[in-house]
Amino acid sequence: MPQFSKPVSIIFAQSSQGNLIRNNSTILSNPIEYLKGVGPLRGDLLKKELQIFTFKDLLEHFPFRHIDKTEVKKIASINPSLEYIQVSGSIISIEVLGEKRAKRMVALLQDDTGILELTWFQGISWIQKSLAIGQEWLVFGKLSYFMGKPQLTHPEMELVTREKTEGKPFLEPIYPSTEKLRVRGLNGRQIGKLIYTLMGLLREADIPENLPEPILSAMQLMPRYEAFRNIHFPPNPAAYERAVNRLKFEELFLAQLRLGMIRSQRHRYSKGLLFGHVGALFNTFYEKYLPFELTGAQKKVLKEIRQDTARGHQMNRLLQGDVGSGKTIVALLSMLLAADNGYQSCLMAPTEILARQHYAGISALLENMPLQLKILTGSTKRAERKKILAGAESGTIQILIGTHALIEDDVQFGNLGLVIVDEQHRFGVAQRAKLWKKSALAPHILVMTATPIPRTLAMTAYGDLDYSIMDEMPPGRLPITTVHRFEDRRSQVMDFIKSEISKGRQIYIIFPLIEESDKLDYENLMKGYENVKAYFPEPSYWISMVHGRMNGEQKEVNMQRFVKGETQIMVSTTVIEVGVNVPNATVMVIESAEKFGLSQLHQLRGRVGRGAEKSYCILLTSKKLSAESRERLKMMVATNDGFRIAEKDLELRGPGDIEGTRQSGMLNFKLASIVGDKHLLESAKTLAEDLLESDPELGSAVNLRLKQWLDSQKGQTLWSKIS
Ligand code: ADP
Ligand code: MG
């Protein structure tokens, strides 16, 4: 079809209101097919293709760009760097060229600087009738080149008349569309015409303001109605920016407000177990067996936990601490607090190795304490399992450490008071929810993350939790030196390892899980193992190996040999990624490091640097690296700060890919991005918190419309309990 378009004012003036429901609260809920220009067929397609069911959905279908029609170019200034252009001139010739399929019509348009070709392949006879030599036209289209000459194919044409005082020139919105919609005459620009029609129907009252006046003025926000108008049909780029800014803020602010309300309601109304006092178990351990002075950060977090659990409300706390910051001891002390108050606790780890390690470490620390402590994992023998289940149910087991085995249905607790989830990102929301149900009154929940979560992500994905940050390392740690080496330097790396082993240190060499097939990964690891063995032959050296094909016991035996120092080298896939603690290990070699994500690299690096000796992380890669791999490696070499790394990871991968957050509905913002709109998010959070502080129920007059808005949106639950 020829793309002759009449001036916008005429096209859009035609809309009639048919059988529309016209009343303030409902016009936006009209089904989309009622809109002039839609109808049943296109309506169905809009529903299927773009999930646009109602007028409101269409209103919230935002353009992804605008074509600038504010400028009329001189023909002489046309150059290949331009994409869409608008020119004005008169027709000086019209010609039909070629035959059949090659048939086309070429008109020449002239302004006071030059001549431009306009070309049509379809609808020629109709266009021929509409065009006449000498007429003046305003022409708009996508610039292309044919035989070195610029031309516009099927341009939009508008007759220039004396009376033309209409709102042109302007920025024309282009919308996301699909192939099927395009075929039905709804391409990215035509959708704009529907939205223009819709806008013509809407009054200010149809898009009422929902933010309180003080916030509008503090943030200098455009009113809501104006923002919707301007995001679609801005008079200039600045107006568009302000509209987007307003709507992004609204999204972020309302989300923060909802999360804040969940939090503050939990603080005020949830019923929780009371850990009323600090008793003998906690105090005895603290005074007699605590192997080191707690860091300030550890003390601060313990105090927060103590306060949370002493109020009679349920604790829901996220504890973030970089690798090695000492979360385990915080967990242990919290469990003693629970025991002092007559409650059981469980500590859930993501892998068998980690559960066993926690069990070993915690048992050793509690050796002289009168406490029943057990471990339950997938490989616990039946008879033992039966005993443990009985002990959990009767309440005689005070601390139960384990893996996913803890959340199986037959595990019942007599009086579970505290659940600690270690290395949180491995557990899905659903799994945590299962634990939640294990006692009549929800136990207190402490979720400990292995990988720091960027602040912005924590604020959104976990915004309904309270969170603590441990940003202080135990004293005496030397920073880990990280280097990047290409594979052709392998022998130097091996020499370095040798010198470290000769000083009595231990080494990790990690291989990635790269292939889809378990078999290929296994072969890859075996090849690596043979290679390492060639450099480090027995009996001068002993090597442990752990991989996914081993059962729990085999892993454990190999792990223990390394923990006890019987082997100097641990060759492994990423099964040892989290939590493993061997303070004598000083070198972490990561093979094919380009294949790992940033947070995973950081986790692996965290396995060394746990003792008093200087530690190293060596990233081995091939020479062929993607730009993103290069950035990851550079970041690893540049910093040991897990929070900075997490920020970078978020930036590189986007929130959808960060483990553990995929399920989060909070990240599906229409406009805002937690990466790009960090500052807006910070303001939204602060303002939401201040507001809830001063008016927790939103009962005051200035907050009335906000309250009404939230009430009207009920049912569109954005969030549910995390644990
Ligand atoms: P993570 O936070 O990674 O789980 P861990 O709890 O495994 O860290 O602690 C790392 C190491 O630091 C352990 O060897 C632990 O004993 C030690 N550690 C923890 N807290 C302190 C402290 N306050 N002073 C000295 N060493 C500590
Ligand atoms: Mg840990």
Side-chain angles (χ1 to χ4, degrees):
M1 288 296 292
Q3 291 225 331
F4 265 80
S5 74
K6 298 170 201 153
V8 218
S9 53
I10 296 182
I11 292 175
F12 296 136
Q14 291 166 347
S15 58
S16 86
Q17 297 193 13
N19 45 0
L20 279 180
I21 303 170
R22 168 87 239 184
N23 98 27
N24 285 350
S25 62
T26 56
I27 181 155
L28 282 173
S29 54
N30 273 295
I32 192 63
E33 59 267 29
Y34 285 16
L35 187 70
K36 165 89 180 157
V38 180
L41 258 130
R42 286 171 155 192
D44 277 355
L45 222 46
L46 281 169
K47 290 175 199 173
K48 274 205 200 91
E49 296 287 301
L50 296 174
Q51 281 73 54
I52 293 175
F53 294 88
T54 61
F55 285 17
K56 174 171 179 284
D57 296 336
L58 184 66
L59 181 69
E60 291 175 359
H61 188 61
F62 298 124
F64 61 89
R65 57 179 284 188
H66 287 86
I67 296 177
D68 192 346
K69 289 186 169 179
T70 56
E71 196 185 359
V72 178
K73 286 250 171 253
K74 290 296 181 193
I75 290 174
S77 74
I78 292 173
N79 68 73
S81 74
L82 302 169
E83 198 186 355
Y84 287 90
I85 53 164
Q86 180 164 251
V87 292
S88 176
S90 52
I91 301 288
I92 56 168
S93 88
I94 302 171
E95 237 182 323
V96 177
L97 305 169
E99 286 296 323
K100 295 202 171 142
R101 305 197 94 216
K103 191 167 163 181
R104 64 190 190 279
M105 188 179 100
V106 177
L108 295 180
L109 184 85
Q110 183 177 43
D111 70 3
D112 53 4
T113 69
I115 295 172
L116 179 67
E117 267 186 24
L118 312 176
T119 311
W120 289 265
F121 297 97
Q122 285 152 31
I124 292 175
S125 55
W126 189 72
I127 296 155
Q128 233 172 344
K129 275 185 231 144
S130 326
L131 282 186
I133 295 196
Q135 276 174 341
E136 275 202 47
W137 290 88
L138 186 64
V139 179
F140 176 86
K142 192 169 179 176
L143 182 64
S144 61
Y145 279 79
F146 182 67
M147 313 268 285
K149 273 200 284 182
Q151 63 168 19
L152 297 180
T153 306
H154 289 255
E156 274 179 47
M157 308 274 295
E158 189 181 320
L159 211 47
V160 178
T161 57
R162 303 256 168 265
E163 311 84 71
K164 205 188 128 312
T165 51
E166 182 46 37
K168 282 209 149 198
F170 73 122
L171 294 167
E172 188 190 2
I174 307 292
Y175 293 85
S177 181
T178 68
E179 202 43 52
K180 283 185 181 158
L181 283 165
R182 259 171 233 131
V183 173
R184 286 260 167 229
L186 285 180
N187 67 21
R189 308 179 63 190
Q190 288 155 330
I191 288 176
K193 294 180 183 168
L194 296 182
I195 295 178
Y196 198 95
T197 305
L198 175 61
M199 267 301 169
L201 300 175
L202 298 176
R203 317 277 152 77
E204 247 181 281
D206 297 322
I207 308 181
E209 186 52 67
N210 55 10
L211 300 180
E213 189 50 53
I215 288 184
L216 289 177
S217 50
M219 294 297 294
Q220 304 193 331
L221 298 175
M222 191 181 252
R224 196 154 189 270
Y225 172 75
E226 236 178 85
F228 273 101
R229 280 203 85 87
N230 282 296
I231 195 171
H232 292 292
F233 306 104
N236 54 56
Y240 173 76
E241 290 307 324
R242 286 198 63 209
V244 169
N245 185 64
R246 143 82 213 208
L247 293 172
K248 279 181 175 174
F249 178 84
E250 177 184 321
E251 265 186 321
L252 294 168
F253 178 78
L254 292 174
Q256 286 303 313
L257 199 66
R258 287 201 180 93
L259 291 167
M261 287 171 95
I262 293 174
R263 220 165 43 227
S264 79
Q265 276 166 12
R266 189 178 60 243
H267 290 169
R268 281 176 299 147
Y269 305 123
S270 77
K271 275 213 181 313
L273 304 165
L274 187 68
F275 293 180
H277 70 286
V278 181
L281 291 169
F282 187 103
N283 286 330
T284 308
F285 180 82
Y286 200 93
E287 281 150 27
K288 283 172 104 174
Y289 303 116
L290 189 65
F292 35 67
E293 171 82 7
L294 293 183
T295 64
Q298 286 168 325
K299 285 183 188 160
K300 180 194 77 183
V301 173
L302 270 171
K303 199 168 153 197
E304 286 166 344
I305 292 170
R306 166 92 181 93
Q307 283 168 351
D308 276 3
T309 53
R311 290 179 316 194
H313 299 305
Q314 191 224 359
M315 173 174 80
N316 232 297
R317 184 167 286 277
L318 178 68
L319 167 55
Q320 291 197 70
D322 208 342
V323 241
S325 60
K327 294 183 287 292
T328 315
I329 200 77
V330 172
L332 171 55
L333 285 161
S334 311
M335 294 194 290
L336 292 179
L337 179 65
D340 269 336
N341 287 277
Y343 289 102
Q344 296 169 287
S345 344
C346 62
L347 171 59
M348 193 157 79
T351 65
E352 174 121 13
I353 290 184
L354 202 51
R356 287 184 186 281
Q357 184 183 293
H358 273 321
Y359 181 70
I362 291 175
S363 312
L365 287 169
L366 295 179
E367 199 181 354
N368 298 313
M369 300 278 300
L371 226 89
Q372 270 262 25
L373 172 76
K374 289 279 184 237
I375 177 165
L376 182 69
T377 70
S379 56
T380 305
K381 298 268 162 14
R382 266 182 88 159
E384 174 70 4
R385 181 182 167 85
K386 225 174 134 185
K387 264 198 267 171
I388 292 173
L389 294 193
E393 189 153 11
S394 69
T396 51
I397 293 175
Q398 287 146 297
I399 296 180
L400 189 57
I401 295 173
T403 54
H404 294 75
L406 290 179
I407 56 177
E408 277 163 29
D409 289 335
D410 58 348
V411 185
Q412 296 294 331
F413 290 89
N415 57 346
L416 183 60
L418 172 66
V419 172
I420 300 176
V421 181
D422 193 18
E423 316 298 3
Q424 164 275 338
H425 65 279
R426 298 289 187 89
F427 288 101
V429 171
Q431 287 168 323
R432 293 196 291 272
K434 259 180 133 174
L435 258 176
W436 175 278
K437 292 193 193 105
K438 288 209 173 284
S439 55
L441 211 52
H444 297 298
I445 311 275
L446 178 67
V447 173
M448 307 198 295
T449 68
T451 313
I453 301 169
R455 218 179 109 65
T456 50
L457 195 58
M459 273 159 54
T460 43
Y462 303 109
D464 59 339
L465 303 185
D466 296 299
Y467 69 95
S468 310
I469 293 182
M470 292 211 314
D471 49 4
E472 182 186 354
M473 288 288 170
R477 298 268 174 83
L478 292 168
I480 303 166
T481 297
T482 302
V483 295
H484 170 207
R485 295 280 179 267
F486 291 115
E487 268 156 9
D488 57 6
R489 300 272 306 271
R490 184 180 299 275
S491 63
Q492 281 105 313
V493 171
M494 293 299 154
D495 289 345
F496 175 70
I497 291 178
K498 245 175 217 170
S499 75
E500 281 292 297
I501 293 178
S502 73
K503 290 189 225 158
R505 313 277 176 264
Q506 288 165 285
I507 317 294
Y508 292 100
I509 303 178
I510 306 296
F511 288 82
L513 292 167
I514 40 174
E515 309 289 347
E516 286 298 302
S517 114
D518 178 40
K519 185 159 170 281
L520 282 175
D521 277 333
Y522 181 72
E523 283 168 5
N524 190 43
L525 177 72
M526 283 307 162
K527 238 175 41 210
Y529 175 69
E530 291 305 329
N531 195 8
V532 174
K533 231 172 146 172
Y535 277 102
F536 301 97
E538 292 171 10
S540 318
Y541 302 94
W542 296 98
I543 305 173
S544 281
M545 181 163 59
V546 172
H547 56 76
R549 283 197 176 183
M550 291 176 165
N551 65 28
E553 217 165 306
Q554 288 171 315
K555 283 182 195 162
E556 183 57 21
V557 168
N558 275 286
M559 199 61 225
Q560 281 310 322
R561 288 184 66 207
F562 187 67
V563 171
K564 289 186 192 132
E566 295 166 13
T567 57
Q568 297 97 336
I569 301 176
M570 165 61 82
V571 172
S572 158
T573 53
T574 44
V575 289
I576 65 135
E577 180 187 334
V578 284
V580 172
N581 189 26
V582 180
N584 189 47
T586 55
V587 184
M588 167 61 66
V589 180
I590 304 176
E591 297 268 359
S592 306
E594 72 271 29
K595 307 237 158 81
F596 292 83
L598 254 184
S599 64
Q600 217 178 6
L601 288 173
H602 181 63
Q603 270 304 309
L604 287 168
R605 176 168 60 185
R607 299 309 109 216
V608 296
R610 306 191 136 236
E613 306 301 332
K614 172 79 187 159
S615 291
Y616 305 86
C617 175
I618 303 170
L619 307 169
L620 278 172
T621 74
S622 72
K623 289 213 159 149
K624 268 196 235 148
L625 292 175
S626 70
E628 202 193 304
S629 300
R630 238 177 258 278
E631 277 217 54
R632 286 199 298 264
L633 296 164
K634 222 169 82 190
M635 193 70 194
M636 284 297 292
V637 171
T639 184
N640 276 311
D641 181 338
F643 285 92
R644 274 187 62 198
I645 288 176
E647 292 280 352
K648 187 76 186 177
D649 201 23
L650 178 64
E651 202 182 292
L652 288 176
R653 293 197 297 164
D657 282 336
I658 306 288
E659 265 181 290
T661 60
R662 241 166 297 221
Q663 319 92 324
S664 169
M666 289 314 297
L667 299 175
N668 297 330
F669 294 115
K670 266 209 163 85
L671 287 169
S673 138
I674 63 167
V675 180
D677 301 310
K678 221 192 252 183
H679 299 298
L680 211 52
L681 173 57
E682 300 271 355
S683 313
K685 184 180 169 69
T686 310
L687 287 169
E689 274 171 0
D690 291 353
L691 187 90
L692 285 175
E693 183 125 332
S694 67
D695 185 10
E697 306 288 347
L698 305 183
S700 71
V702 278
N703 294 324
L704 184 65
R705 63 190 183 201
L706 180 60
K707 172 117 177 56
Q708 282 171 346
W709 174 263
L710 290 174
D711 288 346
S712 75
Q713 302 295 302
K714 273 215 173 104
Q716 304 188 3
T717 323
L718 271 172
W719 194 242
S720 57
K721 272 180 184 151
I722 186 168
S723 317

PDB file of all heavy atoms in Angstrom, residues 3-15:
ATOM      1  N   GLN A   3       2.075   4.745   1.152  1.00  0.00           N
ATOM      2  CA  GLN A   3       1.992   5.272   2.508  1.00  0.00           C
ATOM      3  C   GLN A   3       1.652   6.750   2.520  1.00  0.00           C
ATOM      4  O   GLN A   3       2.221   7.517   3.272  1.00  0.00           O
ATOM      5  CB  GLN A   3       3.309   5.021   3.221  1.00  0.00           C
ATOM      6  CG  GLN A   3       3.521   3.556   3.492  1.00  0.00           C
ATOM      7  CD  GLN A   3       4.018   3.338   4.890  1.00  0.00           C
ATOM      8  OE1 GLN A   3       4.674   4.179   5.464  1.00  0.00           O
ATOM      9  NE2 GLN A   3       3.687   2.200   5.461  1.00  0.00           N
ATOM     10  N   PHE A   4       0.750   7.122   1.653  1.00  0.00           N
ATOM     11  CA  PHE A   4       0.281   8.493   1.712  1.00  0.00           C
ATOM     12  C   PHE A   4      -0.414   8.665   3.029  1.00  0.00           C
ATOM     13  O   PHE A   4      -1.320   7.924   3.360  1.00  0.00           O
ATOM     14  CB  PHE A   4      -0.775   8.725   0.626  1.00  0.00           C
ATOM     15  CG  PHE A   4      -0.197   9.286  -0.608  1.00  0.00           C
ATOM     16  CD1 PHE A   4       0.454   8.469  -1.513  1.00  0.00           C
ATOM     17  CD2 PHE A   4      -0.296  10.651  -0.871  1.00  0.00           C
ATOM     18  CE1 PHE A   4       0.997   8.996  -2.652  1.00  0.00           C
ATOM     19  CE2 PHE A   4       0.245  11.170  -2.032  1.00  0.00           C
ATOM     20  CZ  PHE A   4       0.903  10.342  -2.932  1.00  0.00           C
ATOM     21  N   SER A   5       0.006   9.587   3.800  1.00  0.00           N
ATOM     22  CA  SER A   5      -0.825   9.766   4.974  1.00  0.00           C
ATOM     23  C   SER A   5      -1.303  11.188   5.006  1.00  0.00           C
ATOM     24  O   SER A   5      -0.586  12.107   4.667  1.00  0.00           O
ATOM     25  CB  SER A   5      -0.075   9.396   6.237  1.00  0.00           C
ATOM     26  OG  SER A   5       0.855  10.399   6.527  1.00  0.00           O
ATOM     27  N   LYS A   6      -2.545  11.323   5.407  1.00  0.00           N
ATOM     28  CA  LYS A   6      -3.088  12.665   5.531  1.00  0.00           C
ATOM     29  C   LYS A   6      -2.499  13.285   6.780  1.00  0.00           C
ATOM     30  O   LYS A   6      -1.960  12.571   7.611  1.00  0.00           O
ATOM     31  CB  LYS A   6      -4.612  12.576   5.660  1.00  0.00           C
ATOM     32  CG  LYS A   6      -5.233  11.953   4.439  1.00  0.00           C
ATOM     33  CD  LYS A   6      -6.683  11.678   4.713  1.00  0.00           C
ATOM     34  CE  LYS A   6      -7.205  10.620   3.747  1.00  0.00           C
ATOM     35  NZ  LYS A   6      -8.318   9.862   4.306  1.00  0.00           N
ATOM     36  N   PRO A   7      -2.605  14.560   6.916  1.00  0.00           N
ATOM     37  CA  PRO A   7      -2.094  15.155   8.146  1.00  0.00           C
ATOM     38  C   PRO A   7      -2.713  14.449   9.345  1.00  0.00           C
ATOM     39  O   PRO A   7      -3.877  14.075   9.319  1.00  0.00           O
ATOM     40  CB  PRO A   7      -2.566  16.603   8.080  1.00  0.00           C
ATOM     41  CG  PRO A   7      -2.821  16.852   6.635  1.00  0.00           C
ATOM     42  CD  PRO A   7      -3.186  15.543   6.020  1.00  0.00           C
ATOM     43  N   VAL A   8      -1.913  14.302  10.342  1.00  0.00           N
ATOM     44  CA  VAL A   8      -2.358  13.562  11.519  1.00  0.00           C
ATOM     45  C   VAL A   8      -3.678  14.070  12.059  1.00  0.00           C
ATOM     46  O   VAL A   8      -4.531  13.291  12.451  1.00  0.00           O
ATOM     47  CB  VAL A   8      -1.344  13.719  12.664  1.00  0.00           C
ATOM     48  CG1 VAL A   8      -1.207  12.441  13.419  1.00  0.00           C
ATOM     49  CG2 VAL A   8      -0.034  14.232  12.165  1.00  0.00           C
ATOM     50  N   SER A   9      -3.801  15.368  12.069  1.00  0.00           N
ATOM     51  CA  SER A   9      -4.998  15.946  12.662  1.00  0.00           C
ATOM     52  C   SER A   9      -6.254  15.379  12.006  1.00  0.00           C
ATOM     53  O   SER A   9      -7.233  15.103  12.663  1.00  0.00           O
ATOM     54  CB  SER A   9      -4.973  17.457  12.494  1.00  0.00           C
ATOM     55  OG  SER A   9      -4.758  17.753  11.135  1.00  0.00           O
ATOM     56  N   ILE A  10      -6.201  15.162  10.707  1.00  0.00           N
ATOM     57  CA  ILE A  10      -7.391  14.664  10.015  1.00  0.00           C
ATOM     58  C   ILE A  10      -7.633  13.190  10.340  1.00  0.00           C
ATOM     59  O   ILE A  10      -8.724  12.796  10.713  1.00  0.00           O
ATOM     60  CB  ILE A  10      -7.246  14.847   8.489  1.00  0.00           C
ATOM     61  CG1 ILE A  10      -7.170  16.340   8.198  1.00  0.00           C
ATOM     62  CG2 ILE A  10      -8.423  14.199   7.766  1.00  0.00           C
ATOM     63  CD1 ILE A  10      -7.076  16.674   6.741  1.00  0.00           C
ATOM     64  N   ILE A  11      -6.583  12.394  10.256  1.00  0.00           N
ATOM     65  CA  ILE A  11      -6.745  10.976  10.545  1.00  0.00           C
ATOM     66  C   ILE A  11      -7.354  10.759  11.922  1.00  0.00           C
ATOM     67  O   ILE A  11      -8.286  10.015  12.108  1.00  0.00           O
ATOM     68  CB  ILE A  11      -5.382  10.261  10.537  1.00  0.00           C
ATOM     69  CG1 ILE A  11      -4.839  10.244   9.120  1.00  0.00           C
ATOM     70  CG2 ILE A  11      -5.525   8.825  11.040  1.00  0.00           C
ATOM     71  CD1 ILE A  11      -3.467   9.674   9.043  1.00  0.00           C
ATOM     72  N   PHE A  12      -6.806  11.458  12.883  1.00  0.00           N
ATOM     73  CA  PHE A  12      -7.204  11.176  14.251  1.00  0.00           C
ATOM     74  C   PHE A  12      -8.495  11.865  14.652  1.00  0.00           C
ATOM     75  O   PHE A  12      -9.084  11.536  15.654  1.00  0.00           O
ATOM     76  CB  PHE A  12      -6.077  11.549  15.211  1.00  0.00           C
ATOM     77  CG  PHE A  12      -4.864  10.705  14.987  1.00  0.00           C
ATOM     78  CD1 PHE A  12      -3.600  11.256  14.962  1.00  0.00           C
ATOM     79  CD2 PHE A  12      -5.004   9.339  14.773  1.00  0.00           C
ATOM     80  CE1 PHE A  12      -2.497  10.462  14.755  1.00  0.00           C
ATOM     81  CE2 PHE A  12      -3.896   8.535  14.561  1.00  0.00           C
ATOM     82  CZ  PHE A  12      -2.633   9.103  14.548  1.00  0.00           C
ATOM     83  N   ALA A  13      -8.913  12.799  13.851  1.00  0.00           N
ATOM     84  CA  ALA A  13     -10.149  13.490  14.209  1.00  0.00           C
ATOM     85  C   ALA A  13     -11.360  12.610  13.915  1.00  0.00           C
ATOM     86  O   ALA A  13     -12.441  12.854  14.394  1.00  0.00           O
ATOM     87  CB  ALA A  13     -10.269  14.791  13.451  1.00  0.00           C
ATOM     88  N   GLN A  14     -11.153  11.551  13.133  1.00  0.00           N
ATOM     89  CA  GLN A  14     -12.288  10.762  12.685  1.00  0.00           C
ATOM     90  C   GLN A  14     -12.888   9.845  13.740  1.00  0.00           C
ATOM     91  O   GLN A  14     -13.955   9.301  13.552  1.00  0.00           O
ATOM     92  CB  GLN A  14     -11.863   9.886  11.499  1.00  0.00           C
ATOM     93  CG  GLN A  14     -11.583  10.693  10.251  1.00  0.00           C
ATOM     94  CD  GLN A  14     -10.852   9.855   9.240  1.00  0.00           C
ATOM     95  OE1 GLN A  14     -10.353   8.782   9.557  1.00  0.00           O
ATOM     96  NE2 GLN A  14     -10.789  10.338   8.010  1.00  0.00           N
ATOM     97  N   SER A  15     -12.169   9.640  14.838  1.00  0.00           N
ATOM     98  CA  SER A  15     -12.631   8.608  15.756  1.00  0.00           C
ATOM     99  C   SER A  15     -14.012   8.921  16.309  1.00  0.00           C
ATOM    100  O   SER A  15     -14.294  10.008  16.772  1.00  0.00           O
ATOM    101  CB  SER A  15     -11.652   8.477  16.910  1.00  0.00           C
ATOM    102  OG  SER A  15     -11.556   9.714  17.547  1.00  0.00           O
TER     103      SER A  15
END
